[in-house]
Amino acid sequence: MPGRLEAIHVTDAAGAPMRALERATLRAGVGIQGDRYATNDGHWSDHPAGDRDLTLVAGVVIDELGLQPGTSRRNLTTRGVDLEGLIGREFLVGTVRCRGERRCEPCTYLEGLIGTPILRDFVHRGGLRATILADGEIAVGEPIEAV
């Protein structure tokens, strides 16, 4: 059974508050329309890895840490998805094809932005970095599944 997309969050500038969306437009090799990384305005935009199209985090981890979706500064909050299992694999968010690249580990910059000491508890549970492979629209509630 596929998991599902529980929340979508973006922000237009590094360090600015995240805002929730019900729907979003994904652009292949770019990111989520309206998000800071799609316009190269994110704090880590110039990082050589370049895998900043999309970030996902498991809702169960957010729950365990007592955070709200979006607080983790990840774009997509998921439920019932093995994010580790998507590393190196293609997957669909609704009908949009993506590829899991690597863990999205937390950093002291994140901890400073949210003002909560979560770094230690978030290590290896900070989510997934993904590349968007095809343009498309996604909406909260849609399935997420490996291809």
Side-chain angles (χ1 to χ4, degrees), residues 33-128:
Q33 189 171 314
D35 188 59
R36 73 249 190 234
Y37 286 105
T39 58
N40 291 316
D41 290 327
H43 181 76
W44 300 103
S45 287
D46 60 354
H47 192 276
D51 53 5
R52 302 279 184 261
D53 291 5
L54 190 63
T55 55
L56 299 85
V57 66
V60 68
V61 172
I62 298 301
D63 295 346
E64 289 173 10
L65 295 177
L67 301 175
Q68 295 297 311
T71 305
S72 68
R73 310 223 21 112
R74 306 304 189 245
N75 301 123
L76 306 183
T77 303
T78 68
R79 187 70 59 181
V81 179
D82 174 15
L83 296 178
E84 286 277 322
L86 296 178
I87 295 173
R89 297 186 65 189
E90 290 189 14
F91 63 96
L92 296 172
V93 178
T95 60
V96 180
R97 189 175 290 265
C98 302
R99 183 180 58 244
E101 301 295 346
R102 62 185 174 104
R103 287 180 178 154
C104 187
E105 296 289 15
C107 61
T108 55
Y109 176 72
L110 168 66
E111 199 171 63
L113 280 178
I114 67 174
T116 302
I118 64 160
L119 193 61
R120 184 171 295 146
D121 293 329
F122 216 30
V123 169
H124 301 322
R125 299 176 354 131
L128 174 71

Side-chain angles (χ1 to χ4, degrees), residues 11-23:
T11 185
D12 57 2
M18 300 291 279
R19 68 182 185 284
L21 303 175
E22 287 297 313
R23 304 186 68 76

